[in-house]
Amino acid sequence: SAYWNYEKFIKYRESRISSLIGVNGSIYAIRKSDYVEIENDLISDLVEPLEIVRHGKKVIYEPEAISEEESSATYREEFERKIRIFTRTIHGLFRMKALLNPFQYVIFSIQLLIHKIFRYLMPFALLSAALSLIFLTDRFFYYILYCLMITTLIFAMIAKFTEYSAKRNWFFNVIYYSLTVNFALVLAWINVLKGKNITIWPTERGS
């Protein structure tokens, strides 16, 4: 819920400023005349709206449209889902890299850079920051930051090994979820660098 509330806020602002970058795969609509056929290996809820923008149209966020989905039952399910989504999204971003041209797409290119590209590079920024802190612990300020980093990792490990109780604790859950998402991003980048995409996967079904 913390992630979705943040994401909805961004989508609302993007829609007001220029156009949405991505949509919710479970509930989005396109005029038949504007629909663009995309390849099966691309993630439709990202590439389809990007194609709409590329053809000179705008994608609008409608806050009153409602869709209900069940969240993943376990961290493992969510982790595997994130790897799949991130892998397909990165492939999609490479395919639509022309939209990063600020001379042609102006504000939208900046939105795409900040919302997607920077976000998908976050794990490497975090790793760089963590390594830097190790070499800066002789300074008090950075020593405090280093201790906070270690404490965060400890909380994440507690959440990992006590999953049920951790999911009932908002603080532990947010920390562990954030680290899990960034690790999933690293594995997604590895998939992309290997030339691997994920086009078929089992769907979780309720009983």
Side-chain angles (χ1 to χ4, degrees):
S1 61
Y3 167 77
W4 268 113
N5 288 335
Y6 174 63
E7 191 70 11
K8 286 189 294 184
F9 172 79
I10 292 178
K11 288 181 182 297
Y12 175 74
R13 294 299 178 185
E14 285 178 342
S15 179
R16 292 284 297 273
I17 294 172
S18 175
S19 175
L20 285 185
I21 291 172
V23 296
N24 188 322
S26 67
I27 180 170
Y28 72 93
I30 301 172
R31 291 188 180 93
K32 184 177 180 180
S33 58
D34 293 330
Y35 178 74
V36 179
E37 191 73 32
I38 63 173
E39 297 167 28
N40 292 333
D41 62 337
L42 297 177
I43 185 165
S44 62
D45 48 6
L46 172 73
V47 176
E48 188 66 47
L50 292 183
E51 283 283 7
I52 296 297
V53 173
R54 194 169 69 87
H55 285 79
K57 298 296 181 71
K58 185 175 181 179
V59 184
I60 301 296
Y61 176 63
E62 175 48 69
E64 294 187 12
I66 298 174
S67 173
E68 294 185 4
E69 294 180 287
E70 291 186 7
S71 60
S72 301
T74 64
Y75 283 127
R76 169 52 60 178
E77 287 180 13
E78 182 67 7
F79 182 63
E80 292 175 353
R81 190 178 77 91
K82 288 294 185 186
I83 294 173
R84 181 184 78 241
I85 292 172
F86 292 155
T87 300
R88 290 166 60 79
T89 298
I90 295 170
H91 277 291
L93 289 171
F94 274 116
R95 199 73 61 91
M96 303 299 294
K97 59 183 180 295
L99 290 172
L100 289 168
N101 183 351
F103 299 104
Q104 184 173 359
Y105 298 99
V106 197
I107 294 176
F108 185 80
S109 68
I110 298 173
Q111 289 180 188
L112 183 59
L113 180 68
I114 294 173
H115 189 170
K116 289 297 182 184
I117 306 299
F118 283 175
R119 179 183 289 187
Y120 277 55
L121 293 175
M122 181 59 70
F124 308 105
L126 290 174
L127 180 60
S128 175
L131 292 174
S132 298
L133 284 177
I134 293 174
F135 294 100
L136 293 169
T137 52
D138 57 328
R139 302 181 186 183
F140 180 74
F141 175 74
Y142 295 107
Y143 177 74
I144 295 298
L145 291 180
Y146 174 79
C147 291
L148 288 174
M149 179 185 71
I150 297 300
T151 303
T152 300
L153 293 175
I154 291 172
F155 284 149
M157 293 304 294
I158 292 173
K160 168 66 177 176
F161 292 109
T162 59
E163 179 169 325
Y164 176 72
S165 59
K167 291 189 76 170
R168 297 172 61 184
N169 186 300
W170 184 89
F171 180 70
F172 278 27
N173 194 40
V174 167
I175 290 175
Y176 185 60
Y177 182 81
S178 299
L179 291 175
T180 298
V181 166
N182 280 286
F183 185 47
L185 261 173
V186 171
L187 297 183
W189 275 108
I190 292 174
N191 282 341
V192 172
L193 292 174
K194 288 181 176 179
K196 177 183 176 182
N197 203 348
I198 302 173
T199 56
I200 299 174
W201 60 91
T203 302
E204 297 295 331
R205 300 292 184 188
S207 57

PDB file of all heavy atoms in Angstrom, residues 149-164:
ATOM      1  N   MET A 149      23.075   1.800   8.307  1.00  0.00           N
ATOM      2  CA  MET A 149      23.009   0.841   7.212  1.00  0.00           C
ATOM      3  C   MET A 149      23.038  -0.588   7.745  1.00  0.00           C
ATOM      4  O   MET A 149      22.231  -1.439   7.332  1.00  0.00           O
ATOM      5  CB  MET A 149      24.171   1.064   6.239  1.00  0.00           C
ATOM      6  CG  MET A 149      24.193   0.092   5.072  1.00  0.00           C
ATOM      7  SD  MET A 149      25.652   0.297   4.011  1.00  0.00           S
ATOM      8  CE  MET A 149      26.954  -0.351   5.092  1.00  0.00           C
ATOM      9  N   ILE A 150      23.958  -0.860   8.663  1.00  0.00           N
ATOM     10  CA  ILE A 150      24.052  -2.202   9.243  1.00  0.00           C
ATOM     11  C   ILE A 150      22.775  -2.557  10.000  1.00  0.00           C
ATOM     12  O   ILE A 150      22.265  -3.683   9.911  1.00  0.00           O
ATOM     13  CB  ILE A 150      25.276  -2.300  10.183  1.00  0.00           C
ATOM     14  CG1 ILE A 150      26.574  -2.087   9.396  1.00  0.00           C
ATOM     15  CG2 ILE A 150      25.289  -3.640  10.901  1.00  0.00           C
ATOM     16  CD1 ILE A 150      26.806  -3.090   8.292  1.00  0.00           C
ATOM     17  N   THR A 151      22.222  -1.591  10.736  1.00  0.00           N
ATOM     18  CA  THR A 151      20.978  -1.819  11.471  1.00  0.00           C
ATOM     19  C   THR A 151      19.839  -2.149  10.523  1.00  0.00           C
ATOM     20  O   THR A 151      19.031  -3.051  10.783  1.00  0.00           O
ATOM     21  CB  THR A 151      20.616  -0.565  12.301  1.00  0.00           C
ATOM     22  OG1 THR A 151      21.684  -0.251  13.185  1.00  0.00           O
ATOM     23  CG2 THR A 151      19.340  -0.805  13.103  1.00  0.00           C
ATOM     24  N   THR A 152      19.782  -1.433   9.402  1.00  0.00           N
ATOM     25  CA  THR A 152      18.757  -1.695   8.395  1.00  0.00           C
ATOM     26  C   THR A 152      18.868  -3.108   7.851  1.00  0.00           C
ATOM     27  O   THR A 152      17.866  -3.816   7.688  1.00  0.00           O
ATOM     28  CB  THR A 152      18.875  -0.689   7.234  1.00  0.00           C
ATOM     29  OG1 THR A 152      18.698   0.635   7.739  1.00  0.00           O
ATOM     30  CG2 THR A 152      17.826  -0.959   6.164  1.00  0.00           C
ATOM     31  N   LEU A 153      20.091  -3.542   7.576  1.00  0.00           N
ATOM     32  CA  LEU A 153      20.308  -4.905   7.076  1.00  0.00           C
ATOM     33  C   LEU A 153      19.907  -5.945   8.115  1.00  0.00           C
ATOM     34  O   LEU A 153      19.353  -7.003   7.776  1.00  0.00           O
ATOM     35  CB  LEU A 153      21.775  -5.094   6.682  1.00  0.00           C
ATOM     36  CG  LEU A 153      22.248  -4.282   5.465  1.00  0.00           C
ATOM     37  CD1 LEU A 153      23.748  -4.465   5.252  1.00  0.00           C
ATOM     38  CD2 LEU A 153      21.491  -4.693   4.213  1.00  0.00           C
ATOM     39  N   ILE A 154      20.162  -5.661   9.377  1.00  0.00           N
ATOM     40  CA  ILE A 154      19.769  -6.579  10.452  1.00  0.00           C
ATOM     41  C   ILE A 154      18.245  -6.705  10.510  1.00  0.00           C
ATOM     42  O   ILE A 154      17.696  -7.810  10.606  1.00  0.00           O
ATOM     43  CB  ILE A 154      20.325  -6.107  11.808  1.00  0.00           C
ATOM     44  CG1 ILE A 154      21.849  -6.261  11.836  1.00  0.00           C
ATOM     45  CG2 ILE A 154      19.691  -6.901  12.963  1.00  0.00           C
ATOM     46  CD1 ILE A 154      22.506  -5.655  13.058  1.00  0.00           C
ATOM     47  N   PHE A 155      17.553  -5.565  10.416  1.00  0.00           N
ATOM     48  CA  PHE A 155      16.087  -5.590  10.409  1.00  0.00           C
ATOM     49  C   PHE A 155      15.571  -6.390   9.219  1.00  0.00           C
ATOM     50  O   PHE A 155      14.590  -7.131   9.333  1.00  0.00           O
ATOM     51  CB  PHE A 155      15.526  -4.168  10.351  1.00  0.00           C
ATOM     52  CG  PHE A 155      15.601  -3.425  11.660  1.00  0.00           C
ATOM     53  CD1 PHE A 155      15.765  -2.051  11.670  1.00  0.00           C
ATOM     54  CD2 PHE A 155      15.519  -4.094  12.866  1.00  0.00           C
ATOM     55  CE1 PHE A 155      15.837  -1.354  12.866  1.00  0.00           C
ATOM     56  CE2 PHE A 155      15.592  -3.410  14.074  1.00  0.00           C
ATOM     57  CZ  PHE A 155      15.746  -2.039  14.074  1.00  0.00           C
ATOM     58  N   ALA A 156      16.226  -6.235   8.075  1.00  0.00           N
ATOM     59  CA  ALA A 156      15.813  -6.965   6.874  1.00  0.00           C
ATOM     60  C   ALA A 156      15.994  -8.467   7.064  1.00  0.00           C
ATOM     61  O   ALA A 156      15.148  -9.258   6.639  1.00  0.00           O
ATOM     62  CB  ALA A 156      16.606  -6.482   5.665  1.00  0.00           C
ATOM     63  N   MET A 157      17.091  -8.876   7.702  1.00  0.00           N
ATOM     64  CA  MET A 157      17.334 -10.295   7.953  1.00  0.00           C
ATOM     65  C   MET A 157      16.303 -10.853   8.934  1.00  0.00           C
ATOM     66  O   MET A 157      15.852 -11.995   8.792  1.00  0.00           O
ATOM     67  CB  MET A 157      18.754 -10.496   8.492  1.00  0.00           C
ATOM     68  CG  MET A 157      19.844 -10.170   7.477  1.00  0.00           C
ATOM     69  SD  MET A 157      19.679 -11.100   5.922  1.00  0.00           S
ATOM     70  CE  MET A 157      19.967 -12.771   6.514  1.00  0.00           C
ATOM     71  N   ILE A 158      15.931 -10.040   9.923  1.00  0.00           N
ATOM     72  CA  ILE A 158      14.885 -10.477  10.858  1.00  0.00           C
ATOM     73  C   ILE A 158      13.583 -10.723  10.102  1.00  0.00           C
ATOM     74  O   ILE A 158      12.888 -11.720  10.313  1.00  0.00           O
ATOM     75  CB  ILE A 158      14.675  -9.424  11.961  1.00  0.00           C
ATOM     76  CG1 ILE A 158      15.916  -9.352  12.863  1.00  0.00           C
ATOM     77  CG2 ILE A 158      13.429  -9.745  12.792  1.00  0.00           C
ATOM     78  CD1 ILE A 158      15.868  -8.224  13.877  1.00  0.00           C
ATOM     79  N   ALA A 159      13.250  -9.785   9.195  1.00  0.00           N
ATOM     80  CA  ALA A 159      12.046  -9.944   8.385  1.00  0.00           C
ATOM     81  C   ALA A 159      12.135 -11.192   7.509  1.00  0.00           C
ATOM     82  O   ALA A 159      11.146 -11.901   7.307  1.00  0.00           O
ATOM     83  CB  ALA A 159      11.823  -8.711   7.521  1.00  0.00           C
ATOM     84  N   LYS A 160      13.332 -11.475   6.995  1.00  0.00           N
ATOM     85  CA  LYS A 160      13.530 -12.636   6.128  1.00  0.00           C
ATOM     86  C   LYS A 160      13.264 -13.941   6.869  1.00  0.00           C
ATOM     87  O   LYS A 160      12.592 -14.842   6.345  1.00  0.00           O
ATOM     88  CB  LYS A 160      14.960 -12.618   5.585  1.00  0.00           C
ATOM     89  CG  LYS A 160      15.421 -13.897   4.907  1.00  0.00           C
ATOM     90  CD  LYS A 160      14.662 -14.165   3.632  1.00  0.00           C
ATOM     91  CE  LYS A 160      15.191 -15.415   2.937  1.00  0.00           C
ATOM     92  NZ  LYS A 160      14.402 -15.749   1.738  1.00  0.00           N
ATOM     93  N   PHE A 161      13.756 -14.052   8.070  1.00  0.00           N
ATOM     94  CA  PHE A 161      13.672 -15.322   8.791  1.00  0.00           C
ATOM     95  C   PHE A 161      12.449 -15.426   9.698  1.00  0.00           C
ATOM     96  O   PHE A 161      12.220 -16.467  10.313  1.00  0.00           O
ATOM     97  CB  PHE A 161      14.953 -15.540   9.602  1.00  0.00           C
ATOM     98  CG  PHE A 161      16.159 -15.763   8.730  1.00  0.00           C
ATOM     99  CD1 PHE A 161      17.139 -14.798   8.620  1.00  0.00           C
ATOM    100  CD2 PHE A 161      16.289 -16.929   7.989  1.00  0.00           C
ATOM    101  CE1 PHE A 161      18.250 -14.995   7.802  1.00  0.00           C
ATOM    102  CE2 PHE A 161      17.392 -17.140   7.167  1.00  0.00           C
ATOM    103  CZ  PHE A 161      18.372 -16.164   7.073  1.00  0.00           C
ATOM    104  N   THR A 162      11.667 -14.355   9.794  1.00  0.00           N
ATOM    105  CA  THR A 162      10.415 -14.403  10.551  1.00  0.00           C
ATOM    106  C   THR A 162       9.322 -13.782   9.692  1.00  0.00           C
ATOM    107  O   THR A 162       8.665 -12.827  10.088  1.00  0.00           O
ATOM    108  CB  THR A 162      10.534 -13.651  11.889  1.00  0.00           C
ATOM    109  OG1 THR A 162      10.878 -12.276  11.613  1.00  0.00           O
ATOM    110  CG2 THR A 162      11.581 -14.266  12.775  1.00  0.00           C
ATOM    111  N   GLU A 163       9.132 -14.352   8.509  1.00  0.00           N
ATOM    112  CA  GLU A 163       8.309 -13.716   7.488  1.00  0.00           C
ATOM    113  C   GLU A 163       6.904 -13.384   7.963  1.00  0.00           C
ATOM    114  O   GLU A 163       6.406 -12.287   7.763  1.00  0.00           O
ATOM    115  CB  GLU A 163       8.229 -14.602   6.241  1.00  0.00           C
ATOM    116  CG  GLU A 163       7.354 -14.001   5.148  1.00  0.00           C
ATOM    117  CD  GLU A 163       7.493 -14.739   3.824  1.00  0.00           C
ATOM    118  OE1 GLU A 163       8.595 -15.199   3.507  1.00  0.00           O
ATOM    119  OE2 GLU A 163       6.488 -14.836   3.133  1.00  0.00           O
ATOM    120  N   TYR A 164       6.234 -14.326   8.630  1.00  0.00           N
ATOM    121  CA  TYR A 164       4.841 -14.095   9.016  1.00  0.00           C
ATOM    122  C   TYR A 164       4.715 -12.920   9.984  1.00  0.00           C
ATOM    123  O   TYR A 164       3.931 -12.002   9.769  1.00  0.00           O
ATOM    124  CB  TYR A 164       4.240 -15.348   9.657  1.00  0.00           C
ATOM    125  CG  TYR A 164       2.836 -15.138  10.163  1.00  0.00           C
ATOM    126  CD1 TYR A 164       1.765 -15.007   9.270  1.00  0.00           C
ATOM    127  CD2 TYR A 164       2.580 -15.039  11.527  1.00  0.00           C
ATOM    128  CE1 TYR A 164       0.472 -14.799   9.725  1.00  0.00           C
ATOM    129  CE2 TYR A 164       1.289 -14.827  11.992  1.00  0.00           C
ATOM    130  CZ  TYR A 164       0.246 -14.712  11.088  1.00  0.00           C
ATOM    131  OH  TYR A 164      -1.020 -14.493  11.556  1.00  0.00           O
TER     132      TYR A 164
END
